Amino acid sequence: MIIVIMGPPGAGKGTQAKILASKFNLLHLSTGEILRNEIDKGSKLGLKAKKFMDQGNLVPDKLVLEMIEKIILTNQGEGFIFDGFPRTVPQSEGLDSLLGRLKLKIDYVLNISLDKSVLVKRLVERAKNSGRSDDSEEVIMNRQDVYEELTKPLIDYYHDEVKEINGDGTVEEVSKRIFSQINQ
Ligand code: ADP
């Protein structure tokens, strides 16, 4: 099974993606986490990515697509949940073309939505303990703007495939809403 989980920063994508990965035995691919690991390792990719991430801007599509392609190719036969990817229309097109070549397809596109005021409050709260260099209030606001401009259009890209999930409530409540959309 292949799932794409979308939603603005702070909607709880990462938390729900982990729960889904363990329930359905999927490889959880969070591009944000993978990129932060690359930065920690001091790799070439990490060095290139850091300057974009620190400002709350997106890492160039080409770098992200190459990174994801490598992971998918070395884990063929696995199910995946993509968290924070695709994040732009060119990334979606790149993913479609790769999956097409491998005769695979996306089974579910989930979109978690939540009011912007709640999102910002959650992120500011998380920032106190996250240790992430992109968690200052100014960068948090930029990440929301980048989402609106570049990532939100993906809802139209996937249009009738998208399952809308209300992200307001406890982790368990949101998980239940997601599970009810997935036929196993
Ligand atoms: P959040 O959802 O809270 O913004 P992520 O961990 O998903 O956090 O992403 C953190 C940062 O990593 C983003 O602001 C961006 O700079 C970079 N990033 C993550 N995924 C992608 C992607 N698919 N394309 C480009 N940049 C990405």
Side-chain angles (χ1 to χ4, degrees), residues 86-180:
R87 224 169 175 111
T88 63
V89 171
Q91 289 184 19
S92 301
E93 291 167 347
L95 179 63
D96 278 352
S97 119
L98 173 65
L99 294 180
R101 273 182 273 145
L102 299 172
K103 307 261 182 298
L104 296 171
K105 64 165 192 55
I106 297 170
D107 296 285
Y108 295 97
V109 180
L110 308 170
N111 184 45
I112 308 188
S113 357
L114 201 58
D115 269 4
K116 196 167 171 181
S117 58
V118 184
L119 294 170
V120 173
K121 228 199 258 162
R122 277 193 189 177
L123 288 172
V124 169
E125 202 46 45
R126 182 178 84 183
K128 292 179 186 156
N129 312 303
S130 76
R132 273 173 54 168
S133 51
D134 61 349
D135 263 349
S136 70
E137 195 157 344
E138 194 192 336
V139 175
I140 286 171
M141 296 310 287
N142 187 40
R143 276 156 54 208
Q144 296 293 338
D145 292 345
V146 168
Y147 167 79
E148 295 279 336
E149 188 190 338
L150 295 169
T151 309
K152 218 173 173 185
L154 295 188
I155 299 172
D156 282 335
Y157 180 89
Y158 290 115
H159 56 271
D160 43 354
E161 285 176 74
V162 178
K163 307 232 181 261
E164 280 297 338
I165 310 289
N166 171 4
D168 199 9
T170 64
V171 170
E172 291 74 22
E173 283 165 347
V174 178
S175 295
K176 265 197 203 147
R177 288 177 199 140
I178 296 179
F179 295 158
S180 73

Side-chain angles (χ1 to χ4, degrees), residues 7-11 13-14 30-36 49-61 64-65 67-68 83-88 91 123 126 132 134-135 139 143-144 146:
K13 292 187 300 285
S30 157
T31 41
E33 257 172 43
I34 300 167
L35 289 165
R36 281 189 289 279
K50 186 172 169 34
K51 56 177 189 292
F52 298 99
M53 291 173 72
D54 280 349
Q55 305 293 318
N57 293 322
L58 296 185
V59 174
D61 291 331
V64 175
L65 278 167
M67 173 179 99
I68 282 288
D83 160 13
F85 172 87
R87 224 169 175 111
T88 63
Q91 289 184 19
L123 288 172
R126 182 178 84 183
R132 273 173 54 168
D134 61 349
D135 263 349
V139 175
R143 276 156 54 208
Q144 296 293 338
V146 168

